[in-house]
Amino acid sequence: MNKLIRQEIFERFRTANPHPTTELNFNSPFELLIAVLLSAQATDVGVNKATAKLFPVATTPQAMLDLGLEGVMEYTKTIGLYKTKSKHIIETCRILLDKYNGEVPQTREELEALPGVGRKTANVVLNTAFGQLAMAVDTHIFRVANRTRIAPGKNVREVEDKLMKLVPKEFLLDAHHWLILHGRYTCKAQKPLCERCIINDLCEYPAKTVP
């Protein structure tokens, strides 16, 4: 795919959705971090249902610690792997208080050192909470990048690196939101909705369902 086509793709995404953001509900970097920790192998809808009850009673690391592990699990038990995720939340809150005065750190290295926080989670927080240029490659982005040929790669890190290199800089801050939403609602895994896709004439997917 040449860079003019890539430019046009992101121009269309921006025109259709000028201010994209995550579908996770949050009001602070801390709440976003907790929501993303809970979101692994879970839907944003499911996480939002849990955090709608959790955040009003625990919107800071200290308040979360005050709930205790059992208390946190009461709010997260509807989410897959909730016991492990709840332990990570408690451990993370303890570290935030001990090392960062209760604030969420703003570097990838510090974020990835927190329990349960991998590169993708760190990238979401860096991008969405702190406005840093970062690409959180999930299954949707991996599929869209490969299927359209915007930035094909054999693994998520390769796709991330290619996107960071190939997406025009003016679009980088919002690119991962556009790609996630496109994969979630249009370029679906089983039955992509090519007939309503705003980039179907630019996409290089050989099995697309429109000419």
Side-chain angles (χ1 to χ4, degrees):
M1 178 176 287
N2 69 51
K3 68 180 189 177
L4 289 177
I5 292 178
R6 208 175 280 111
Q7 174 81 22
E8 175 63 21
I9 284 173
F10 285 97
E11 291 275 8
R12 292 187 191 180
F13 283 152
R14 181 169 64 185
T15 298
N17 186 3
H19 305 291
T21 190
T22 178
E23 293 188 315
L24 292 170
N25 295 332
F26 71 99
N27 293 299
S28 67
F30 172 69
E31 289 187 359
L32 178 63
L33 174 61
I34 298 305
V36 181
L37 274 172
L38 290 171
S39 70
Q41 300 178 45
T43 66
D44 287 0
V45 172
V47 172
N48 287 339
K49 284 182 180 177
T51 57
K53 296 178 181 178
L54 173 62
F55 288 160
V57 298
T59 193
T60 66
Q62 185 61 60
M64 199 73 73
L65 275 181
D66 290 344
L67 278 179
L69 179 58
E70 295 295 327
V72 171
M73 287 196 296
E74 276 300 307
Y75 290 96
T76 61
K77 61 187 178 183
T78 56
I79 295 172
L81 305 174
Y82 77 97
K83 291 182 179 179
T84 298
K85 291 175 181 179
S86 298
K87 288 177 184 176
H88 288 159
I89 287 171
I90 290 293
E91 292 165 5
T92 288
C93 288
R94 192 168 286 121
I95 293 170
L96 292 181
L97 287 165
D98 291 345
K99 291 188 66 174
Y100 303 108
N101 198 32
E103 300 295 323
V104 176
Q106 298 188 35
T107 71
R108 178 180 286 110
E109 293 73 24
E110 289 172 315
L111 285 167
E112 287 188 32
L114 297 172
V117 177
R119 187 177 181 89
K120 184 183 75 173
T121 297
N123 282 342
V124 171
V125 174
L126 291 172
N127 177 273
T128 305
F130 300 123
Q132 297 185 28
L133 301 183
M135 189 69 61
V137 178
D138 68 350
T139 55
H140 295 302
I141 292 184
F142 184 77
R143 178 175 68 255
V144 171
N146 276 289
R147 187 182 270 174
T148 62
R149 310 304 288 175
I150 289 173
K154 295 185 181 70
N155 54 59
V156 292
R157 182 58 190 273
E158 188 176 341
V159 168
E160 177 189 333
D161 291 343
K162 281 192 174 183
L163 285 168
M164 291 299 294
K165 177 182 177 183
L166 296 173
V167 173
K169 192 166 184 179
E170 65 179 298
F171 304 113
L172 262 180
L173 184 63
D174 294 323
H176 98 264
H177 294 302
W178 286 318
L179 293 169
I180 286 173
L181 293 170
H182 191 64
R184 186 173 288 165
Y185 297 112
T186 303
C187 198
K188 298 180 180 183
Q190 297 302 321
K191 293 184 178 179
L193 304 177
C194 302
E195 69 280 357
R196 64 180 238 194
C197 173
I198 62 173
I199 62 165
N200 62 45
D201 57 319
L202 304 173
C203 167
E204 297 179 12
Y205 181 44
K208 62 185 174 183
T209 56
V210 294

